[in-house]
Amino acid sequence: SQTIHQWPATLVQPVGSPLSLECTVEGTSNPNLYWYRQAAGRGLQLLFYSVGIGQISSEVPQNLSASRPQDRQFILSSKKLLLSDSGFYLCAWSNPGVAGLPQETQYFGPGTRLLVL
Amino acid sequence: AQSVAQPEDQVNVAEGNPLTVKCTYSVSGNPYLFWYVQYPNRGLQFLLKYITGDNLVKGSYGFEAEFNKSQTSFHLKKPSALVSDSALYFCAVRAFSGTYKYIFGTGTRLKVLA
């Protein structure tokens, strides 16, 4: 079965410090990978998605970046954190479409709560 | 453009009563529709999906949802609510083609009162 891991679970960082959040998926290959941010326990904002190694699509221009160095590893980074970067960060994966059909269900990791002070 | 609307920020229901959480969508072509549940400080858990076929789909924890193409709705239902169902519920839609993205509603907080 497939599992998705995120770490750390919680993180407190000062303004201006760097950030690296990691997400890994087990039990599948060539997944589509996603980073979301959830503010104030409500709506999800799609930040980045990736359909393959080194292929990153950015949805919201900001001081965050993403990388996919390996097939099942997705990293969210920042060189200098802002107060507004605080939130709950969720990684998700879905299987790529099979036989010309689009991907179906998206599955989420446990999330990382980031507090920037 | 794709969009999802969850018109109610919060739904309150007494334990044992039926519950409905509403979702309407707008998408070009055939939609893929999903419901997720989120407990505090946790990731989203998949509940059920509609891809094709029977308009009534059954999912985890006794939840079901009805796809209504004419009303572009996909309401989540449960015949008898439990206090443990209290959580944040998200509806999501994905277009059949042309995108890798899923569009999520703003979420509805369900509170089941004992």
Side-chain angles (χ1 to χ4, degrees):
Chain A
S1 64
Q2 300 90 357
T3 55
I4 178 170
H5 304 280
Q6 285 187 246
W7 64 91
T10 59
L11 191 60
V12 181
Q13 292 285 93
V15 170
S17 64
L19 173 74
S20 181
L21 303 181
E22 189 163 343
C23 170
T24 59
V25 181
E26 296 177 355
T28 188
S29 59
N30 195 31
N32 294 331
L33 296 170
Y34 302 79
W35 278 113
Y36 292 87
R37 178 167 58 202
Q38 184 179 28
R42 294 310 293 251
L44 299 176
Q45 179 186 33
L46 178 62
L47 302 175
F48 303 94
Y49 67 92
S50 171
V51 300
I53 295 174
Q55 300 179 58
I56 308 295
S57 296
S58 175
E59 288 297 301
V60 183
Q62 53 200 330
N63 69 318
L64 298 173
S65 62
S67 61
R68 185 171 177 173
Q70 300 180 45
D71 181 44
R72 290 168 290 175
Q73 184 185 30
F74 205 23
I75 297 172
L76 183 69
S77 304
S78 174
K79 292 182 179 178
K80 287 185 178 182
L81 283 168
L82 306 173
L83 287 174
S84 58
D85 291 325
S86 293
F88 193 48
Y89 288 82
L90 291 160
C91 182
W93 72 274
S94 65
N95 275 322
V98 176
L101 296 175
Q103 58 191 342
E104 294 189 8
T105 308
Q106 193 175 59
Y107 297 95
F108 285 80
T112 294
R113 183 157 304 280
L114 172 65
L115 180 59
V116 182
L117 301 174
Chain B
Q2 300 179 84
S3 66
V4 174
Q6 293 183 241
E8 302 153 317
D9 280 345
Q10 182 160 320
V11 170
N12 295 328
V13 63
E15 186 175 30
N17 283 2
L19 69 87
T20 299
V21 182
K22 296 179 181 177
C23 171
T24 58
Y25 66 91
S26 174
V27 67
S28 299
N30 296 324
Y32 284 13
L33 294 157
F34 307 87
W35 274 103
Y36 291 86
V37 60
Q38 185 181 33
Y39 297 97
N41 296 309
R42 303 289 294 275
L44 276 67
Q45 295 179 33
F46 168 69
L47 277 179
L48 51 80
K49 65 183 177 186
Y50 173 82
I51 303 297
T52 187
D54 193 347
N55 289 343
L56 183 65
V57 293
K58 296 187 182 295
S60 306
Y61 312 120
F63 284 93
E64 58 189 27
E66 186 168 12
F67 170 62
N68 187 317
K69 188 172 183 179
S70 62
Q71 297 185 7
T72 62
S73 68
F74 190 55
H75 300 332
L76 181 70
K77 300 180 180 183
K78 188 174 182 181
S80 179
L82 299 172
V83 172
S84 58
D85 293 329
S86 299
L88 186 58
Y89 290 81
F90 288 97
C91 180
V93 66
R94 188 195 179 287
F96 183 81
S97 63
T99 179
Y100 293 100
K101 296 186 286 187
Y102 298 76
I103 305 300
F104 284 81
T106 52
T108 298
R109 193 164 302 281
L110 173 67
K111 190 169 184 180
V112 181
L113 307 170

